[in-house]
PDB file of all heavy atoms in Angstrom:
ATOM      1  N   ARG A  74      24.057  10.202   9.147  1.00  0.00           N
ATOM      2  CA  ARG A  74      23.320  10.895   8.049  1.00  0.00           C
ATOM      3  C   ARG A  74      24.116  11.037   6.802  1.00  0.00           C
ATOM      4  O   ARG A  74      23.537  11.212   5.706  1.00  0.00           O
ATOM      5  CB  ARG A  74      22.692  12.189   8.578  1.00  0.00           C
ATOM      6  CG  ARG A  74      21.568  12.008   9.565  1.00  0.00           C
ATOM      7  CD  ARG A  74      21.264  13.246  10.363  1.00  0.00           C
ATOM      8  NE  ARG A  74      20.928  14.390   9.520  1.00  0.00           N
ATOM      9  CZ  ARG A  74      19.615  14.595   9.033  1.00  0.00           C
ATOM     10  NH1 ARG A  74      18.703  13.785   9.536  1.00  0.00           N
ATOM     11  NH2 ARG A  74      19.437  15.631   8.375  1.00  0.00           N
ATOM     12  N   GLU A 102      19.822   6.943  -4.946  1.00  0.00           N
ATOM     13  CA  GLU A 102      18.567   6.506  -4.699  1.00  0.00           C
ATOM     14  C   GLU A 102      18.557   4.975  -4.555  1.00  0.00           C
ATOM     15  O   GLU A 102      17.808   4.378  -3.697  1.00  0.00           O
ATOM     16  CB  GLU A 102      17.566   6.944  -5.766  1.00  0.00           C
ATOM     17  CG  GLU A 102      17.051   8.376  -5.565  1.00  0.00           C
ATOM     18  CD  GLU A 102      16.483   8.971  -6.850  1.00  0.00           C
ATOM     19  OE1 GLU A 102      16.221   8.223  -7.766  1.00  0.00           O
ATOM     20  OE2 GLU A 102      16.349  10.254  -6.839  1.00  0.00           O
ATOM     21  N   ARG A 105      20.131   4.023  -1.297  1.00  0.00           N
ATOM     22  CA  ARG A 105      19.210   4.377  -0.167  1.00  0.00           C
ATOM     23  C   ARG A 105      18.200   3.270   0.063  1.00  0.00           C
ATOM     24  O   ARG A 105      17.630   3.064   1.109  1.00  0.00           O
ATOM     25  CB  ARG A 105      18.521   5.741  -0.395  1.00  0.00           C
ATOM     26  CG  ARG A 105      19.415   6.877  -0.004  1.00  0.00           C
ATOM     27  CD  ARG A 105      18.813   8.173  -0.484  1.00  0.00           C
ATOM     28  NE  ARG A 105      19.468   9.332  -0.012  1.00  0.00           N
ATOM     29  CZ  ARG A 105      19.318  10.546  -0.393  1.00  0.00           C
ATOM     30  NH1 ARG A 105      18.329  10.816  -1.361  1.00  0.00           N
ATOM     31  NH2 ARG A 105      19.900  11.534   0.052  1.00  0.00           N
ATOM     32  N   ARG A 106      17.766   2.632  -1.035  1.00  0.00           N
ATOM     33  CA  ARG A 106      16.769   1.574  -0.873  1.00  0.00           C
ATOM     34  C   ARG A 106      17.220   0.460  -0.128  1.00  0.00           C
ATOM     35  O   ARG A 106      16.522  -0.454   0.349  1.00  0.00           O
ATOM     36  CB  ARG A 106      16.179   1.140  -2.289  1.00  0.00           C
ATOM     37  CG  ARG A 106      15.253   2.248  -2.867  1.00  0.00           C
ATOM     38  CD  ARG A 106      15.034   1.995  -4.376  1.00  0.00           C
ATOM     39  NE  ARG A 106      14.614   3.291  -4.935  1.00  0.00           N
ATOM     40  CZ  ARG A 106      14.728   3.646  -6.244  1.00  0.00           C
ATOM     41  NH1 ARG A 106      15.243   2.782  -7.077  1.00  0.00           N
ATOM     42  NH2 ARG A 106      14.373   4.803  -6.590  1.00  0.00           N
ATOM     43  N   VAL A 108      19.503   0.829   2.390  1.00  0.00           N
ATOM     44  CA  VAL A 108      19.939   1.320   3.615  1.00  0.00           C
ATOM     45  C   VAL A 108      18.773   1.841   4.402  1.00  0.00           C
ATOM     46  O   VAL A 108      18.170   2.952   4.054  1.00  0.00           O
ATOM     47  CB  VAL A 108      20.952   2.443   3.489  1.00  0.00           C
ATOM     48  CG1 VAL A 108      21.397   3.024   4.774  1.00  0.00           C
ATOM     49  CG2 VAL A 108      22.199   1.978   2.644  1.00  0.00           C
ATOM     50  N   ASN A 116       9.098  10.216  11.739  1.00  0.00           N
ATOM     51  CA  ASN A 116       8.786  10.674  10.376  1.00  0.00           C
ATOM     52  C   ASN A 116       7.903   9.735   9.566  1.00  0.00           C
ATOM     53  O   ASN A 116       8.211   9.446   8.349  1.00  0.00           O
ATOM     54  CB  ASN A 116      10.084  10.969   9.586  1.00  0.00           C
ATOM     55  CG  ASN A 116      10.919  12.054  10.349  1.00  0.00           C
ATOM     56  OD1 ASN A 116      10.408  12.698  11.117  1.00  0.00           O
ATOM     57  ND2 ASN A 116      12.169  12.118   9.888  1.00  0.00           N
ATOM     58  N   LEU A 117       6.895   9.153  10.154  1.00  0.00           N
ATOM     59  CA  LEU A 117       5.953   8.467   9.337  1.00  0.00           C
ATOM     60  C   LEU A 117       5.135   9.503   8.520  1.00  0.00           C
ATOM     61  O   LEU A 117       5.075  10.644   8.824  1.00  0.00           O
ATOM     62  CB  LEU A 117       4.929   7.755  10.273  1.00  0.00           C
ATOM     63  CG  LEU A 117       5.542   6.576  11.023  1.00  0.00           C
ATOM     64  CD1 LEU A 117       4.562   5.948  12.092  1.00  0.00           C
ATOM     65  CD2 LEU A 117       6.164   5.497  10.251  1.00  0.00           C
ATOM     66  N   PHE A 118       4.469   9.026   7.424  1.00  0.00           N
ATOM     67  CA  PHE A 118       3.780   9.883   6.558  1.00  0.00           C
ATOM     68  C   PHE A 118       2.408   9.952   7.125  1.00  0.00           C
ATOM     69  O   PHE A 118       1.613   9.051   7.077  1.00  0.00           O
ATOM     70  CB  PHE A 118       3.786   9.349   5.115  1.00  0.00           C
ATOM     71  CG  PHE A 118       5.184   9.152   4.570  1.00  0.00           C
ATOM     72  CD1 PHE A 118       5.596   7.869   3.877  1.00  0.00           C
ATOM     73  CD2 PHE A 118       6.133  10.099   4.683  1.00  0.00           C
ATOM     74  CE1 PHE A 118       6.801   7.710   3.440  1.00  0.00           C
ATOM     75  CE2 PHE A 118       7.327   9.931   4.279  1.00  0.00           C
ATOM     76  CZ  PHE A 118       7.728   8.766   3.590  1.00  0.00           C
ATOM     77  N   PRO A 119       1.996  11.145   7.638  1.00  0.00           N
ATOM     78  CA  PRO A 119       0.696  11.212   8.318  1.00  0.00           C
ATOM     79  C   PRO A 119      -0.501  11.190   7.468  1.00  0.00           C
ATOM     80  O   PRO A 119      -1.608  10.826   8.015  1.00  0.00           O
ATOM     81  CB  PRO A 119       0.764  12.634   8.984  1.00  0.00           C
ATOM     82  CG  PRO A 119       1.762  13.404   8.073  1.00  0.00           C
ATOM     83  CD  PRO A 119       2.705  12.418   7.518  1.00  0.00           C
ATOM     84  N   HIS A 120      -0.351  11.292   6.110  1.00  0.00           N
ATOM     85  CA  HIS A 120      -1.541  11.193   5.282  1.00  0.00           C
ATOM     86  C   HIS A 120      -1.833   9.812   4.807  1.00  0.00           C
ATOM     87  O   HIS A 120      -2.865   9.583   4.180  1.00  0.00           O
ATOM     88  CB  HIS A 120      -1.444  12.120   4.073  1.00  0.00           C
ATOM     89  CG  HIS A 120      -0.345  11.713   3.193  1.00  0.00           C
ATOM     90  ND1 HIS A 120       0.991  11.601   3.663  1.00  0.00           N
ATOM     91  CD2 HIS A 120      -0.302  11.450   1.844  1.00  0.00           C
ATOM     92  CE1 HIS A 120       1.710  11.276   2.580  1.00  0.00           C
ATOM     93  NE2 HIS A 120       0.995  11.064   1.545  1.00  0.00           N
ATOM     94  N   LEU A 129       3.650   1.760   0.343  1.00  0.00           N
ATOM     95  CA  LEU A 129       3.962   2.733  -0.664  1.00  0.00           C
ATOM     96  C   LEU A 129       5.524   2.698  -1.085  1.00  0.00           C
ATOM     97  O   LEU A 129       5.778   2.661  -2.253  1.00  0.00           O
ATOM     98  CB  LEU A 129       3.530   4.107  -0.253  1.00  0.00           C
ATOM     99  CG  LEU A 129       3.782   5.179  -1.284  1.00  0.00           C
ATOM    100  CD1 LEU A 129       2.930   5.010  -2.537  1.00  0.00           C
ATOM    101  CD2 LEU A 129       3.533   6.600  -0.801  1.00  0.00           C
ATOM    102  N   ALA A 133       6.305   1.882  -4.926  1.00  0.00           N
ATOM    103  CA  ALA A 133       6.855   3.006  -5.637  1.00  0.00           C
ATOM    104  C   ALA A 133       8.298   2.845  -5.963  1.00  0.00           C
ATOM    105  O   ALA A 133       8.828   3.263  -7.100  1.00  0.00           O
ATOM    106  CB  ALA A 133       6.655   4.321  -4.903  1.00  0.00           C
ATOM    107  N   ASN A 134       9.098   2.320  -5.134  1.00  0.00           N
ATOM    108  CA  ASN A 134      10.533   2.200  -5.286  1.00  0.00           C
ATOM    109  C   ASN A 134      11.177   0.898  -5.657  1.00  0.00           C
ATOM    110  O   ASN A 134      12.176   0.807  -6.192  1.00  0.00           O
ATOM    111  CB  ASN A 134      11.209   2.777  -4.064  1.00  0.00           C
ATOM    112  CG  ASN A 134      10.742   4.217  -3.730  1.00  0.00           C
ATOM    113  OD1 ASN A 134      10.329   4.938  -4.615  1.00  0.00           O
ATOM    114  ND2 ASN A 134      10.790   4.604  -2.472  1.00  0.00           N
ATOM    115  N   GLN A 165      -2.866   8.614  15.312  1.00  0.00           N
ATOM    116  CA  GLN A 165      -3.657   8.017  16.357  1.00  0.00           C
ATOM    117  C   GLN A 165      -2.896   7.143  17.310  1.00  0.00           C
ATOM    118  O   GLN A 165      -3.398   6.542  18.217  1.00  0.00           O
ATOM    119  CB  GLN A 165      -4.776   7.104  15.671  1.00  0.00           C
ATOM    120  CG  GLN A 165      -5.683   7.859  14.736  1.00  0.00           C
ATOM    121  CD  GLN A 165      -6.501   6.966  13.909  1.00  0.00           C
ATOM    122  OE1 GLN A 165      -5.998   6.171  13.094  1.00  0.00           O
ATOM    123  NE2 GLN A 165      -7.784   7.049  14.041  1.00  0.00           N
ATOM    124  N   ARG A 178       8.507  -0.219   8.537  1.00  0.00           N
ATOM    125  CA  ARG A 178       8.552   0.439   7.207  1.00  0.00           C
ATOM    126  C   ARG A 178       9.916   0.415   6.555  1.00  0.00           C
ATOM    127  O   ARG A 178      10.051   0.010   5.374  1.00  0.00           O
ATOM    128  CB  ARG A 178       8.089   1.931   7.386  1.00  0.00           C
ATOM    129  CG  ARG A 178       8.180   2.676   6.005  1.00  0.00           C
ATOM    130  CD  ARG A 178       7.678   4.139   6.178  1.00  0.00           C
ATOM    131  NE  ARG A 178       8.688   4.889   6.933  1.00  0.00           N
ATOM    132  CZ  ARG A 178       8.548   6.222   7.116  1.00  0.00           C
ATOM    133  NH1 ARG A 178       7.500   6.888   6.619  1.00  0.00           N
ATOM    134  NH2 ARG A 178       9.459   6.932   7.718  1.00  0.00           N
ATOM    135  N   MET A 182      11.764  -2.550   3.013  1.00  0.00           N
ATOM    136  CA  MET A 182      12.608  -2.254   1.765  1.00  0.00           C
ATOM    137  C   MET A 182      13.703  -3.372   1.719  1.00  0.00           C
ATOM    138  O   MET A 182      14.610  -3.273   0.837  1.00  0.00           O
ATOM    139  CB  MET A 182      13.300  -0.941   1.858  1.00  0.00           C
ATOM    140  CG  MET A 182      12.236   0.177   1.859  1.00  0.00           C
ATOM    141  SD  MET A 182      11.256   0.370   0.398  1.00  0.00           S
ATOM    142  CE  MET A 182      12.444   1.017  -0.734  1.00  0.00           C
TER     143      MET A 182
ATOM    144  N   GLY B 273      11.558  16.431   8.319  1.00  0.00           N
ATOM    145  CA  GLY B 273      11.621  15.050   8.419  1.00  0.00           C
ATOM    146  C   GLY B 273      10.866  14.276   7.436  1.00  0.00           C
ATOM    147  O   GLY B 273      11.262  13.116   7.087  1.00  0.00           O
ATOM    148  N   GLN B 274       9.772  14.887   6.884  1.00  0.00           N
ATOM    149  CA  GLN B 274       9.052  14.167   5.790  1.00  0.00           C
ATOM    150  C   GLN B 274       9.940  14.072   4.579  1.00  0.00           C
ATOM    151  O   GLN B 274       9.945  13.043   3.846  1.00  0.00           O
ATOM    152  CB  GLN B 274       7.758  14.969   5.455  1.00  0.00           C
ATOM    153  CG  GLN B 274       6.834  15.004   6.635  1.00  0.00           C
ATOM    154  CD  GLN B 274       6.166  13.639   6.738  1.00  0.00           C
ATOM    155  OE1 GLN B 274       5.587  13.004   5.816  1.00  0.00           O
ATOM    156  NE2 GLN B 274       6.235  12.996   7.997  1.00  0.00           N
ATOM    157  N   GLU B 276      13.192  13.999   4.525  1.00  0.00           N
ATOM    158  CA  GLU B 276      14.272  13.129   4.846  1.00  0.00           C
ATOM    159  C   GLU B 276      13.782  11.709   4.781  1.00  0.00           C
ATOM    160  O   GLU B 276      14.547  10.806   4.285  1.00  0.00           O
ATOM    161  CB  GLU B 276      14.826  13.456   6.106  1.00  0.00           C
ATOM    162  CG  GLU B 276      15.677  14.742   6.145  1.00  0.00           C
ATOM    163  CD  GLU B 276      16.246  15.041   7.530  1.00  0.00           C
ATOM    164  OE1 GLU B 276      15.948  14.432   8.457  1.00  0.00           O
ATOM    165  OE2 GLU B 276      17.012  16.095   7.543  1.00  0.00           O
ATOM    166  N   ALA B 277      12.648  11.404   5.347  1.00  0.00           N
ATOM    167  CA  ALA B 277      12.156   9.966   5.427  1.00  0.00           C
ATOM    168  C   ALA B 277      11.910   9.555   4.007  1.00  0.00           C
ATOM    169  O   ALA B 277      12.218   8.371   3.696  1.00  0.00           O
ATOM    170  CB  ALA B 277      10.761   9.965   6.170  1.00  0.00           C
ATOM    171  N   ALA B 279      13.379  10.618   1.272  1.00  0.00           N
ATOM    172  CA  ALA B 279      14.725  10.373   0.631  1.00  0.00           C
ATOM    173  C   ALA B 279      15.398   9.130   1.148  1.00  0.00           C
ATOM    174  O   ALA B 279      15.841   8.374   0.355  1.00  0.00           O
ATOM    175  CB  ALA B 279      15.634  11.624   0.884  1.00  0.00           C
ATOM    176  N   ALA B 280      15.295   8.894   2.484  1.00  0.00           N
ATOM    177  CA  ALA B 280      15.958   7.696   3.079  1.00  0.00           C
ATOM    178  C   ALA B 280      15.334   6.401   2.491  1.00  0.00           C
ATOM    179  O   ALA B 280      15.995   5.401   2.526  1.00  0.00           O
ATOM    180  CB  ALA B 280      15.827   7.789   4.601  1.00  0.00           C
ATOM    181  N   LEU B 281      14.022   6.409   2.167  1.00  0.00           N
ATOM    182  CA  LEU B 281      13.360   5.278   1.631  1.00  0.00           C
ATOM    183  C   LEU B 281      13.638   5.056   0.124  1.00  0.00           C
ATOM    184  O   LEU B 281      13.116   4.199  -0.500  1.00  0.00           O
ATOM    185  CB  LEU B 281      11.895   5.289   1.922  1.00  0.00           C
ATOM    186  CG  LEU B 281      11.513   5.021   3.372  1.00  0.00           C
ATOM    187  CD1 LEU B 281      10.127   5.559   3.618  1.00  0.00           C
ATOM    188  CD2 LEU B 281      11.613   3.559   3.631  1.00  0.00           C
ATOM    189  N   GLY B 282      14.471   6.009  -0.427  1.00  0.00           N
ATOM    190  CA  GLY B 282      14.764   5.877  -1.791  1.00  0.00           C
ATOM    191  C   GLY B 282      13.815   6.420  -2.851  1.00  0.00           C
ATOM    192  O   GLY B 282      13.833   6.115  -4.042  1.00  0.00           O
ATOM    193  N   PHE B 283      12.888   7.333  -2.420  1.00  0.00           N
ATOM    194  CA  PHE B 283      11.978   7.998  -3.324  1.00  0.00           C
ATOM    195  C   PHE B 283      12.779   8.974  -4.171  1.00  0.00           C
ATOM    196  O   PHE B 283      13.631   9.706  -3.691  1.00  0.00           O
ATOM    197  CB  PHE B 283      10.938   8.787  -2.540  1.00  0.00           C
ATOM    198  CG  PHE B 283       9.864   7.939  -1.953  1.00  0.00           C
ATOM    199  CD1 PHE B 283       9.945   7.382  -0.689  1.00  0.00           C
ATOM    200  CD2 PHE B 283       8.706   7.767  -2.733  1.00  0.00           C
ATOM    201  CE1 PHE B 283       8.905   6.573  -0.225  1.00  0.00           C
ATOM    202  CE2 PHE B 283       7.697   7.065  -2.236  1.00  0.00           C
ATOM    203  CZ  PHE B 283       7.764   6.392  -1.016  1.00  0.00           C
ATOM    204  N   SER B 284      12.557   8.917  -5.481  1.00  0.00           N
ATOM    205  CA  SER B 284      13.135   9.961  -6.290  1.00  0.00           C
ATOM    206  C   SER B 284      12.434  11.361  -5.969  1.00  0.00           C
ATOM    207  O   SER B 284      11.391  11.344  -5.359  1.00  0.00           O
ATOM    208  CB  SER B 284      12.960   9.717  -7.802  1.00  0.00           C
ATOM    209  OG  SER B 284      11.605   9.662  -8.142  1.00  0.00           O
ATOM    210  N   LYS B 287       8.789  11.377  -7.205  1.00  0.00           N
ATOM    211  CA  LYS B 287       7.987  10.488  -6.532  1.00  0.00           C
ATOM    212  C   LYS B 287       7.734  10.981  -5.081  1.00  0.00           C
ATOM    213  O   LYS B 287       6.630  10.890  -4.494  1.00  0.00           O
ATOM    214  CB  LYS B 287       8.593   9.054  -6.485  1.00  0.00           C
ATOM    215  CG  LYS B 287       8.314   8.266  -7.739  1.00  0.00           C
ATOM    216  CD  LYS B 287       8.829   6.869  -7.647  1.00  0.00           C
ATOM    217  CE  LYS B 287       8.551   6.131  -8.862  1.00  0.00           C
ATOM    218  NZ  LYS B 287       9.359   4.883  -8.909  1.00  0.00           N
ATOM    219  N   LEU B 291       3.928  11.777  -4.259  1.00  0.00           N
ATOM    220  CA  LEU B 291       3.244  10.731  -3.416  1.00  0.00           C
ATOM    221  C   LEU B 291       3.295  11.128  -1.881  1.00  0.00           C
ATOM    222  O   LEU B 291       2.365  10.739  -1.111  1.00  0.00           O
ATOM    223  CB  LEU B 291       3.919   9.412  -3.544  1.00  0.00           C
ATOM    224  CG  LEU B 291       3.843   8.755  -4.906  1.00  0.00           C
ATOM    225  CD1 LEU B 291       4.686   7.565  -5.034  1.00  0.00           C
ATOM    226  CD2 LEU B 291       2.324   8.371  -5.172  1.00  0.00           C
ATOM    227  N   ILE B 292       4.317  11.911  -1.448  1.00  0.00           N
ATOM    228  CA  ILE B 292       4.499  12.238  -0.027  1.00  0.00           C
ATOM    229  C   ILE B 292       4.209  13.618   0.338  1.00  0.00           C
ATOM    230  O   ILE B 292       3.316  13.936   1.140  1.00  0.00           O
ATOM    231  CB  ILE B 292       5.891  11.785   0.415  1.00  0.00           C
ATOM    232  CG1 ILE B 292       6.286  10.390   0.011  1.00  0.00           C
ATOM    233  CG2 ILE B 292       6.053  12.010   1.957  1.00  0.00           C
ATOM    234  CD1 ILE B 292       5.511   9.285   0.749  1.00  0.00           C
ATOM    235  N   GLN B 296       0.113  16.082   1.087  1.00  0.00           N
ATOM    236  CA  GLN B 296      -0.046  16.725   2.355  1.00  0.00           C
ATOM    237  C   GLN B 296      -0.104  18.247   2.260  1.00  0.00           C
ATOM    238  O   GLN B 296      -0.992  18.862   2.872  1.00  0.00           O
ATOM    239  CB  GLN B 296       1.058  16.438   3.238  1.00  0.00           C
ATOM    240  CG  GLN B 296       1.296  14.935   3.643  1.00  0.00           C
ATOM    241  CD  GLN B 296       2.374  14.711   4.606  1.00  0.00           C
ATOM    242  OE1 GLN B 296       2.410  15.165   5.679  1.00  0.00           O
ATOM    243  NE2 GLN B 296       3.392  13.920   4.224  1.00  0.00           N
ATOM    244  N   GLN B 378      -7.765  13.352  13.259  1.00  0.00           N
ATOM    245  CA  GLN B 378      -8.073  13.019  14.682  1.00  0.00           C
ATOM    246  C   GLN B 378      -7.348  11.647  15.048  1.00  0.00           C
ATOM    247  O   GLN B 378      -7.249  10.819  14.170  1.00  0.00           O
ATOM    248  CB  GLN B 378      -9.543  12.797  14.973  1.00  0.00           C
ATOM    249  CG  GLN B 378     -10.254  14.168  15.206  1.00  0.00           C
ATOM    250  CD  GLN B 378     -11.676  14.069  15.033  1.00  0.00           C
ATOM    251  OE1 GLN B 378     -12.244  13.068  14.907  1.00  0.00           O
ATOM    252  NE2 GLN B 378     -12.446  15.212  14.983  1.00  0.00           N
TER     253      GLN B 378
END
Side-chain angles (χ1 to χ4, degrees):
Chain A
R74 288 161 59 88
E102 281 162 12
R105 278 171 172 169
R106 285 167 203 155
V108 179
N116 298 347
L117 293 176
F118 304 130
H120 65 302
L129 182 67
N134 302 332
Q165 298 168 302
R178 178 178 70 174
M182 301 293 286
Chain B
Q274 293 289 307
E276 290 181 349
L281 286 161
F283 281 88
S284 66
K287 278 184 182 166
L291 297 169
I292 309 292
Q296 296 184 58
Q378 279 163 11

